[in-house]
Structure formats: structure tokens, C-alpha cells
């Protein structure tokens, strides 16, 4: 017979109250996923370099069209506030000072993965689909590829394409802007 532990789930509001009360600090590398406070893995040099490269690429190509978020929270629902590596957001005059981006604000989320590939595929990407995020890229550093997820549904993304070096892709919201896999991977 297996023993089931009782878990205390938190809302986004309670999560923010923990920060305000000093229980969690800005230095804590955590995110709220399905009501659970999850510790994030440390960022290594390869991961950091890929995020920096993507940030520069998106700013150079899309600066007047979007706000580029780097490892900033997005509020998906009342129980999930993940921190994707990159988010392309609809422009707002206050740059989201009035509140974290919601699903309707998000044009693209990007997860860069070396040690977190499987957890990103099994946990974060389904969560993004359930919340209607129109497009997600998973940059798999180890396999040197980009997985592009589109057509979200409650059952997951209905379309997934894999791009490798030598190929190009575009962002669903900006099909005229072509990006090569080599530019993304360096």
C-alpha cells in the first residue's frame, strides 16, 4: 500500500504574499507550477550564453514590435507563474509594471534546456498548452535543435516541428521574420 502525502497548494496571490513577507526573496530561484513552489536548476554558462544570444537576436529583429522578457515571470492562471527563459510579449506602455503578462499578452515563450529537457517537455510545455500559449520553442542545447510547439489545446500542442542546423524558422506572430537555427544555437 502506498502512502500519499498531503500537499499544500498555493495560489499566485499567496505566492506573491510570501515574497512581500520575506519568506521568499528575489534571490530564491523558484517558480510556481500548478500550485507548487518548484526550485529552478542553477544556470550554467552554456545556458546563459544561449539566453543572451536569443535576447540579442530578438531585440535586434523585433525591438519596435514586442517587449522581450528575459527569465521574467508570466502569470498563466491562478496557480502557475513560471519564469520562461525568453518571452515575446505584446507591447504595453507600462512594460507590465501593472502586472505580469497573462496568456493573451504572450506571443512566444522560449525554454532553453540542457539539464531540464525532459521536465520542460513533460511539465512546462503541457502547462503552456493548457493555458493557450500560441507558440513555444524548446531550445535543446544537447541535441542542437529547436522544437517548435503550436496549436495549443487542453490535451497539449497539436503541432510540433523539430528544426536542426541549416534550417530556418519564423515566429507565428511574425512570419516575415526568418531566423536560422544556426543564429539561435551559435
Amino acid at each position: 500500500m502506498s502512502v500519499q502525502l498531503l500537499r499544500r497548494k498555493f495560489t499566485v496571490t499567496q505566492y506573491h504574499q510570501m515574497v512581500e513577507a520575506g519568506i521568499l526573496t528575489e534571490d530564491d530561484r523558484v517558480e510556481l507550477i500548478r500550485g507548487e513552489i518548484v526550485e529552478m536548476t542553477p544556470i550554467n554558462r552554456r545556458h546563459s550564453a544561449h539566453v543572451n544570444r536569443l535576447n540579442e537576436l530578438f531585440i535586434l529583429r523585433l525591438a519596435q514590435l514586442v517587449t522581450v522578457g528575459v527569465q521574467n515571470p508570466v502569470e498563466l492562471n491562478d496557480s502557475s507563474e513560471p519564469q520562461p527563459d525568453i518571452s515575446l510579449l505584446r507591447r504595453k506602455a507600462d512594460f507590465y509594471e501593472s502586472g505580469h503578462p497573462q496568456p493573451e499578452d504572450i506571443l512566444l515563450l522560449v525554454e532553453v534546456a540542457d539539464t531540464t529537457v525532459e521536465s520542460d517537455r513533460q511539465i512546462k510545455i503541457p502547462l503552456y498548452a493548457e493555458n493557450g500559449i500560441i507558440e513555444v520553442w524548446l531550445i535543446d542545447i544537447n541535441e542542437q535543435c529547436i522544437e517548435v510547439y503550436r496549436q495549443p489545446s487542453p490535451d497539449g500542442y497539436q503541432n510540433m516541428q523539430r528544426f536542426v542546423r541549416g534550417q530556418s524558422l519564423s515566429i507565428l506572430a511574425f512570419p516575415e521574420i526568418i531566423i536560422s537555427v544556426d543564429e539561435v544555437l551559435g
Side-chain angles (χ1 to χ4, degrees), residues 127-140:
L127 178 66
Y128 295 152
E130 290 167 23
N131 287 279
I133 304 304
I134 59 171
E135 183 170 14
V136 176
W137 291 6
L138 175 64
I139 312 297
D140 185 335

Side-chain angles (χ1 to χ4, degrees), residues 39-91:
E39 207 168 339
M40 297 167 62
T41 59
I43 298 174
N44 64 39
R45 288 189 318 246
R46 282 178 50 195
H47 184 278
S48 181
H50 279 77
V51 171
N52 289 340
R53 184 179 299 108
L54 275 169
N55 180 39
E56 182 175 285
L57 177 67
F58 287 144
I59 286 174
L60 290 174
R61 300 274 176 90
L62 302 165
Q64 301 301 310
L65 304 171
V66 301
T67 295
V68 179
V70 179
Q71 298 172 337
N72 290 333
V74 295
E75 189 174 324
L76 298 180
N77 56 42
D78 191 44
S79 65
S80 293
E81 191 178 277
Q83 295 180 33
D85 290 305
I86 299 281
S87 53
L88 298 187
L89 309 170
R90 296 185 194 289
R91 292 182 64 81

